Amino acid sequence: MPLDQPYTVSLSLGLQGKCLIARLSGELDFNGTPMVRDRIARAIEAADPPLLIIDMADVTLCDSAGLSLFVSVHRSIKVLGGRLMVSGLQGRCLDVFTITGMTKLLDVRPTAEMAIDELNL
């Protein structure tokens, strides 16, 4: 991506208890998905087993590249014996996840706090 075109999504990673939390904001689209995929992949490699929460509360758009990211991360974590939860889906993102069946594939919680509480048991 050219330097004059900023990513449309931002990602912050942190730990809370045993959980790795990836908080996304903006638009999870074709431009930003590779950066998110790379940073999450490096983070889950360091965890044993990886317990990842992807918080989508501040995401306004998720296109097919974003959905592909979730499928890829889900598979990677499953192979490593970990667990993935998605939190904070709302608006158009929730609609896209519901229509595509992603809410049936993934563990979805209304808030990151609910997911954190469940994974830190």
Side-chain angles (χ1 to χ4, degrees), residues 3-15:
L3 293 177
D4 61 342
Q5 293 182 357
Y7 293 122
T8 54
V9 65
S10 64
L11 166 68
S12 66
L13 290 168
L15 282 174

Side-chain angles (χ1 to χ4, degrees), residues 57-110:
D58 294 324
V59 175
T60 56
L61 177 132
C62 182
D63 70 6
S64 60
L67 293 175
S68 174
L69 165 80
F70 281 94
V71 172
S72 173
V73 170
H74 173 72
R75 287 181 182 156
S76 296
I77 287 179
K78 196 171 183 179
V79 166
L80 295 170
R83 193 156 172 213
L84 168 65
M85 285 191 175
V86 180
S87 66
L89 289 171
Q90 55 191 346
R92 293 184 349 193
C93 291
L94 177 58
D95 293 342
V96 168
F97 271 67
T98 302
I99 290 167
T100 60
M102 293 293 282
T103 55
K104 294 178 181 168
L105 173 69
L106 303 171
D107 284 334
V108 177
R109 300 296 180 270

